[in-house]
Amino acid sequence: MANGQGGAMNSQQIIDLLNSDYEFGINFIIDNNPQAVESNISSLSIPLPQNPSNLQIREVIDTLLQDGTNDEAVSQITEILDVQYIDTATNYTGGFASYLHSQKPPSPTGEAESGGVVVAQVISNILGAVGNVWSAYKQEDLLELQQEMMQEQYAFELEKIEKTKILGIPQAVFISIIVFIMFVALIIFLSNRR
């Protein structure tokens, strides 16, 4: 329970969380086989302190998730979390291969699937959720970029208007006033000629 997960939950509660809470699922994978996750991070040349804690490993994954500029983030997270499940783990993560296998409906071909395959399917659900979260971060970054572009366009338009002002009055209004004054002057001039 290095990530504070598991607590006094029973197996069904843990399975339910694995199926519904990707954060719990990521912690479950890290807590089950932290050495393999650390090895996968190192193989991607992502910096990690020596002998990192599970929390430090998780921070690497969170950083990848939140980096909307890295188009490889989801595949990197998938590679990082693609580790062998250790059914004999002594923490809350161990002992689920047979339980998961018993919860899985029979294969349509009638062949039995290994506990590792079933766990891999649950982990696949977690990775799908990771992809969705990363997409949401990416979408948020795109919205921020669009907003910045709109603000820059608005500032450009205001600056353009400011440049065309004559005596602090927009050019179109100034020209209209001059035309109006000339028109009034013409009327006065024509009325005085009579």
Side-chain angles (χ1 to χ4, degrees), residues 16 21 27 37 91 108 151 159-160 187:
D16 290 343
D21 184 353
N27 290 338
V37 175
N91 61 15
Q151 287 174 342
E159 185 178 318
K160 196 164 101 175
I187 292 175

Side-chain angles (χ1 to χ4, degrees), residues 88-125:
T88 57
T90 57
N91 61 15
Y92 74 100
T93 66
F96 281 96
S98 61
Y99 179 81
L100 288 170
H101 186 67
S102 71
Q103 299 301 309
K104 174 100 173 110
S107 166
T109 62
E111 296 176 15
E113 293 180 340
S114 73
V117 170
V118 177
V119 172
Q121 290 170 342
V122 171
I123 290 171
S124 174
N125 293 342

Side-chain angles (χ1 to χ4, degrees), residues 17-87:
L17 281 173
L18 282 173
N19 287 317
S20 63
D21 184 353
Y22 84 93
E23 299 264 352
F24 179 85
I26 291 171
N27 290 338
F28 183 90
I29 294 168
I30 294 169
D31 289 345
N32 180 260
N33 196 346
Q35 292 81 13
V37 175
E38 177 186 350
S39 175
N40 288 350
I41 290 171
S42 296
S43 73
L44 291 173
S45 300
I46 298 173
L48 249 180
Q50 192 167 4
N51 298 321
S53 68
N54 289 5
L55 183 60
Q56 290 170 314
I57 292 172
R58 176 58 198 254
E59 287 172 355
V60 168
I61 293 169
D62 288 341
T63 300
L64 285 171
L65 265 175
Q66 295 168 0
D67 181 9
T69 62
N70 182 356
D71 291 334
E72 299 295 317
V74 174
S75 64
Q76 288 177 329
I77 292 169
T78 301
E79 190 173 332
I80 289 169
L81 296 177
D82 185 17
V83 298
Q84 182 170 350
Y85 173 71
I86 301 174
D87 193 42

